[in-house]
Amino acid sequence: MTNRSLPQSPFVAGPMITDPQFFVGRSSELNALTARMTGSQPVSINVVGKKGIGKSSLLYHFFQTYEQRVENPKRYVAIYLDLLNSECRDEIGFYHAVARQLLNLPKVRSQRTLTRPFQVTSFERQTFSSVMGEWKRQGVLPVLCLDEFSALFKHPKEFSDGFFDNLLFLMNTNALMLVVASQRELNFYGHRYKLTSSFFNMGDVLRLGNLTEEEAKELVSLPARTGVLAALRTDEQWLARKWGGCHPFLLQLAASLLLQARQQEQVVSWAKARFEQEARGIPKPLWKITPPAGYFARSASGMAILILAVLVVISVLKQTQVLESLWKALGK
């Protein structure tokens, strides 16, 4: 292999996207989250989508960029918290994890009025509510982007109806806004774990699906870094679209493997085999494939013959009429 510099890969298959320059699309979803945050009354929302559809990347990108989307950023403080990887195994652990994320933000640490309420000896449900209430009096809305929300249900004894009722109270009094990501709607988990809190009737649901055609095209044409050409050649972009359709994870996977194949001087079949292996477990997308030449003509002819055969069976057409129609269908 020649000793030349290889292009950096802008494609992320698996982990969430943390570099905002490589986040593509989802403008309507981001606008929906912003609108619910900045309305006359904040509205919490449940982001629902299957595995690999991009829920984590959406929440993290919203957390990264919300200040650029609102008129008065000082009124809001957003955090991202992965409940699957954090130490949220009980209620107090949840409150501590939220507090750490909030206090880690420079805009919070620089304001004494926001840090003072956290100076308490214990941090239980009532304390957490008091801190959120004090922030509300300061005119600041905490926006908690909670990923992998279903992880809480692994500890049903720790996260009871009382915990969820308290979150609902804070939401209803505009002391808190939640952006909750899960594979199923919250009411599903409420029924499954026999929880009766009205928290699980959160009616605002944002269902996350495939990217649009334009977003998929933009993804596969990402540059290796700002100001340079696309990381993939045109033929590689076409293959990535063919393999991955408009599914975010599958597109990222196809694009990253095609780039890797070129860098390692592998054949395309190597990338395709790796793609099929690593794509297992992800629902196959629906994508557009251009049919071979003459497909529609053959399909139309076949359909015409089938219809004629049915008509003969029910004695609608005579034999001579059938023969004439067959010749026309076949273009004879």
Side-chain angles (χ1 to χ4, degrees), residues 33-258:
L33 295 177
T34 305
R36 284 161 175 79
M37 183 174 74
T38 58
S40 56
Q41 179 171 335
V43 178
S44 295
I45 187 168
N46 181 196
V47 178
V48 178
K50 295 181 180 179
K51 178 182 178 182
I53 206 66
K55 301 184 297 298
S56 298
S57 295
L58 175 67
L59 262 64
Y60 194 78
H61 190 71
F62 181 70
F63 151 70
Q64 285 183 310
T65 61
Y66 77 94
E67 290 185 315
Q68 305 164 22
R69 303 174 185 279
V70 297
E71 292 184 3
N72 190 357
K74 294 181 179 180
R75 293 182 53 194
Y76 309 96
V77 174
I79 64 168
Y80 170 86
L81 182 60
D82 185 348
L83 300 180
L84 187 63
N85 296 325
S86 65
E87 299 178 358
C88 299
R89 298 183 179 88
D90 55 34
E91 188 172 349
I92 294 179
F94 172 84
Y95 299 140
H96 276 283
V98 171
R100 281 195 298 271
Q101 293 298 106
L102 289 170
L103 290 172
N104 280 339
L105 299 174
K107 68 182 295 184
V108 173
R109 292 199 306 268
S110 63
Q111 299 185 59
R112 179 67 176 167
T113 56
L114 297 182
T115 59
R116 186 186 300 113
F118 287 97
Q119 297 175 356
V120 293
T121 55
S122 62
F123 209 57
E124 300 179 353
R125 184 184 301 171
Q126 184 58 45
T127 309
F128 179 76
S129 300
S130 298
V131 172
M132 297 298 97
E134 180 58 34
W135 275 36
K136 179 184 177 182
R137 285 187 284 275
Q138 298 293 333
V140 176
L141 174 70
V143 181
L144 312 186
C145 300
L146 304 179
D147 200 4
E148 299 288 354
F149 196 76
S150 60
L152 296 183
F153 304 113
K154 294 180 180 179
H155 314 283
K157 294 182 180 179
E158 301 295 338
F159 297 99
S160 62
D161 277 311
F163 167 78
F164 294 108
D165 282 339
N166 189 59
L167 285 183
L168 180 63
F169 169 77
L170 295 173
M171 290 156 52
N172 288 341
T173 56
N174 301 334
L176 189 68
M177 175 183 167
L178 299 185
V179 181
V180 175
S182 56
Q183 292 191 34
R184 306 287 290 269
E185 291 185 29
L186 289 181
N187 57 15
F188 166 82
Y189 300 103
H191 291 304
R192 182 174 184 178
Y193 295 97
K194 299 179 181 179
L195 294 162
T196 59
S197 173
S198 297
F199 173 86
F200 295 96
N201 296 327
M202 187 186 296
D204 238 13
V205 176
L206 177 62
R207 291 180 176 82
L208 204 60
N210 284 354
L211 300 173
T212 65
E213 292 285 344
E214 286 301 315
E215 290 170 342
K217 181 179 179 181
E218 182 182 354
L219 193 157
V220 298
S221 59
L222 279 173
R225 57 185 181 276
T226 305
V228 301
L229 297 175
L232 293 181
R233 300 190 307 253
T234 303
D235 59 318
E236 294 168 335
Q237 294 178 30
W238 183 86
L239 278 176
R241 290 292 312 280
K242 182 180 179 181
W243 297 355
C246 291
H247 190 284
F249 171 77
L250 296 181
L251 266 179
Q252 296 275 7
L253 179 62
S256 63
L257 287 172
L258 284 164

